[in-house]
């Protein structure tokens, strides 16, 4: 609430034009977020903003038929709301046109660069010059997020991607390709406005310990990604990062699960039974075949240190609460998926609750031996 209220308050005041009604609208949105926190905590600002706009739209429709006594006639009140709503719609249309124009300009520039590079390739040696960021395709999604910014560079140059965060920490997706076309497994360091955020294997997931203190919602940020060699193993020399390797970066903002374009369900999906049987672990919780959306709960004694695995055969999220410590698990396609994580709580008796969120198949949560 502290993080999102200033931004949401400005939006509410823009919509209502009245301080008291803006405060009422803001409190309504935050109250609804609180009631469904377990479902929306991955992107609470996004959900609050949607509720804010939808609630105002409902007020506006209701007041068209019965205007409140605010010192104006019914006709004058309706005119004020109609004018304001028309301005909001026009602004949205202008934004879409600007984005479409930006995409067209970027495509034109990219085509020009490719043409110039091809024409000079025979006479000039190739140079590892970073290429400019490219605009994401409209409706481009990945791993539960909508892509909002992209960039690419050739090593040893870092990739710098500019974007304006709206909903907190972004999804960071990296891909590294060596100059011979093979995908490379070196590591990348990610920084936000010069503040180190995390390190991970190129193409790997963002760790839960990532530091996003350099990110401010609503203020333009620069996300810098730098490739570096894997640390040496058993005294061996680290393999260098091949110069001229391509490092691609995409930034995504989380979306609600019911707005994410899940793939169509195939005629047959693999069972999770084989994975569960092959794992050396204890099944803590499983999906209910008769009711995939059913909330599952168990009280178990966890070790002081250990790992758990999440196995699924279909897209969708499962929100797991380990005695007050929340984790979001899931997949985004119908391929078999197994993820391994360290237990987020210390040993002892813990109540574990799993809430499926638009999950399309079977899943299992295992405590590894």
């Amino acid at each position: 609430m502290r993080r999102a209220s200033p931004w949401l308050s400005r939006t509410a005041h823009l919509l209502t034009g009245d301080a008291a009604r803006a405060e009422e609208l803001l409190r309504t949105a935050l109250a609804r977020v609180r009631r469904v926190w377990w479902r929306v905590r991955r992107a609470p600002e996004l959900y609050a903003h949607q509720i804010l706009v939808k609630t105002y739209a409902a007020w506006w429709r209701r007041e068209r038929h019965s205007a409140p006594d605010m010192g104006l006639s019914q006709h004058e009140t309706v005119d004020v709301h109609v004018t304001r709503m028309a301005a909001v719609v026009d602004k949205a249309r202008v934004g879409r046109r600007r984005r479409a124009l930006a995409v067209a300009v970027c495509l034109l520039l990219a085509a020009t660069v490719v043409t110039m590079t091809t024409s000079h390739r025979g006479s000039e040696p190739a140079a590892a010059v970073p290429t400019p960021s490219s605009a994401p395709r409209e409706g481009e999604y990945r791993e539960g997020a909508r892509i909002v910014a992209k960039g690419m560079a050739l090593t040893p140059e870092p990739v710098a991607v500019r974007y304006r965060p709206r909903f907190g920490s972004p999804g960071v997706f990296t891909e590294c390709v060596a100059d011979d076309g093979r995908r490379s497994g070196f590591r990348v360091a990610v920084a936000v406005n010069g503040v180190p955020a995390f390190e991970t294997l190129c193409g790997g997931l963002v760790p839960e310990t990532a530091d996003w203190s350099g990110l401010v919602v609503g203020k333009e940020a620069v996300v810098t990604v730098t490739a570096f060699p894997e640390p040496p193993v058993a005294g061996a020399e680290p393999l260098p990062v091949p110069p001229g390797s391509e490092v691609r970066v995409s930034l995504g903002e989380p979306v609600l699960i019911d707005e994410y374009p899940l793939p169509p369900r195939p005629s047959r999906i693999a069972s999770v039974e084989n994975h569960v049987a092959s794992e050396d672990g204890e099944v803590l919780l499983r999906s209910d075949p008769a009711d995939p959306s059913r909330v599952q709960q168990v009280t178990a004694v966890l070790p002081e240190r250990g790992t758990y695995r999440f196995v699924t055969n279909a897209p969708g999220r499962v929100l797991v609460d380990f005695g007050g410590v929340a984790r979001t698990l899931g997949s985004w396609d119908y391929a078999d998926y197994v993820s391994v994580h360290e237990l987020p709580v210390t040993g002892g008796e813990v109540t574990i609750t799993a809430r499926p969120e638009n999950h399309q198949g079977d899943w299992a949560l295992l405590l590894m031996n």
Side-chain angles (χ1 to χ4, degrees):
M1 186 182 69
R2 286 193 297 268
R3 182 176 68 241
S5 287
W7 166 59
L8 292 173
S9 181
R10 289 192 295 270
T11 303
H13 197 276
L14 174 66
L15 289 171
T16 62
D18 178 82
R21 285 170 60 78
E23 179 64 20
E24 181 184 357
L25 184 60
L26 175 61
R27 291 182 179 183
T28 300
L30 292 174
R32 294 189 182 182
V33 171
R34 183 183 184 280
R35 285 199 293 269
V36 295
W37 178 255
W38 61 269
R39 183 165 60 86
V40 303
R41 58 189 165 196
R42 183 179 175 89
E45 294 95 340
L46 172 61
Y47 182 80
H49 183 265
Q50 290 178 337
I51 291 299
L52 199 78
V53 175
K54 290 178 180 178
T55 302
Y56 174 74
W59 289 0
W60 176 73
R61 287 192 295 268
R62 186 169 60 248
E63 290 166 1
R64 292 181 64 182
H65 302 288
S66 58
D69 184 8
M70 298 175 62
L72 298 173
S73 68
Q74 180 176 352
H75 177 72
E76 290 172 328
T77 304
V78 172
D79 284 346
V80 170
H81 285 295
V82 169
T83 302
R84 184 176 296 121
M85 186 62 75
V88 172
V89 172
D90 288 342
K91 187 174 182 179
R93 289 173 177 168
V94 169
R96 285 196 295 268
R97 286 198 294 267
R98 286 177 178 173
R99 288 193 295 271
L101 178 60
V103 171
V105 170
C106 288
L107 290 175
L108 179 60
L109 289 174
T112 304
V113 170
V114 170
T115 302
M116 294 175 63
T117 303
T118 304
S119 62
H120 291 81
R121 184 170 294 170
S123 57
E124 296 181 359
V129 179
T131 60
S133 300
S134 60
R137 296 190 300 272
E138 186 68 22
E140 185 176 358
Y141 294 85
R142 184 171 176 181
E143 299 297 325
R146 180 176 63 87
I147 302 302
V148 296
K150 301 176 75 173
M152 187 273 287
L154 303 180
T155 56
E157 296 295 329
V159 186
V161 183
R162 294 180 178 272
Y163 92 115
R164 190 179 300 275
R166 297 188 301 163
F167 310 117
S169 59
V172 182
F173 308 103
T174 57
E175 183 180 6
C176 300
V177 181
D179 54 3
D180 59 0
R182 292 183 296 104
R183 277 172 170 70
S184 301
F186 40 82
R187 299 182 66 81
V188 292
V190 179
V192 179
N193 294 332
V195 179
F198 64 90
E199 295 180 1
T200 187
L201 187 70
C202 188
L205 300 176
V206 177
E208 295 170 347
T209 56
D211 179 8
W212 298 108
S213 58
L215 199 69
V216 178
V217 173
K219 185 177 180 180
E220 186 179 69
V222 179
V223 177
T224 306
V225 179
T226 306
F228 66 95
E230 277 275 25
V233 178
E237 290 293 326
L239 295 176
V241 176
S245 297
E246 190 174 286
V247 180
R248 306 167 186 166
V249 178
S250 299
L251 303 181
E253 290 184 340
V255 298
L256 298 177
I257 184 65
D258 54 1
E259 296 179 1
Y260 188 82
L262 296 176
R265 186 182 182 91
S267 57
R268 292 186 58 188
I269 58 176
S271 172
V272 300
E273 293 293 339
N274 293 336
H275 280 299
V276 172
S278 63
E279 299 289 352
D280 182 20
E282 170 192 353
V283 177
L284 293 173
L285 292 171
R286 292 200 61 163
S287 58
D288 184 350
D291 183 9
S293 62
R294 178 184 173 189
V295 177
Q296 305 280 15
Q297 190 174 78
V298 68
T299 299
V301 177
L302 301 182
E304 289 293 335
R305 297 186 62 182
T307 60
Y308 67 94
R309 292 196 179 188
F310 177 76
V311 183
T312 186
N313 61 356
R317 286 198 286 239
V318 177
L319 308 179
V320 182
D321 184 288
F322 291 87
V325 181
R327 292 292 183 264
T328 302
L329 307 173
S331 174
W332 303 103
D333 55 35
Y334 283 95
D336 292 348
Y337 178 78
V338 180
S339 60
V340 183
H341 313 268
E342 292 186 0
L343 287 170
V345 294
T346 57
E349 189 174 87
V350 177
T351 298
I352 304 172
T353 306
R355 296 182 174 90
E357 190 178 66
N358 200 19
H359 202 281
Q360 308 295 305
D362 300 328
W363 57 268
L365 187 71
L366 292 81
L367 174 64
M368 303 310 298
N369 293 326

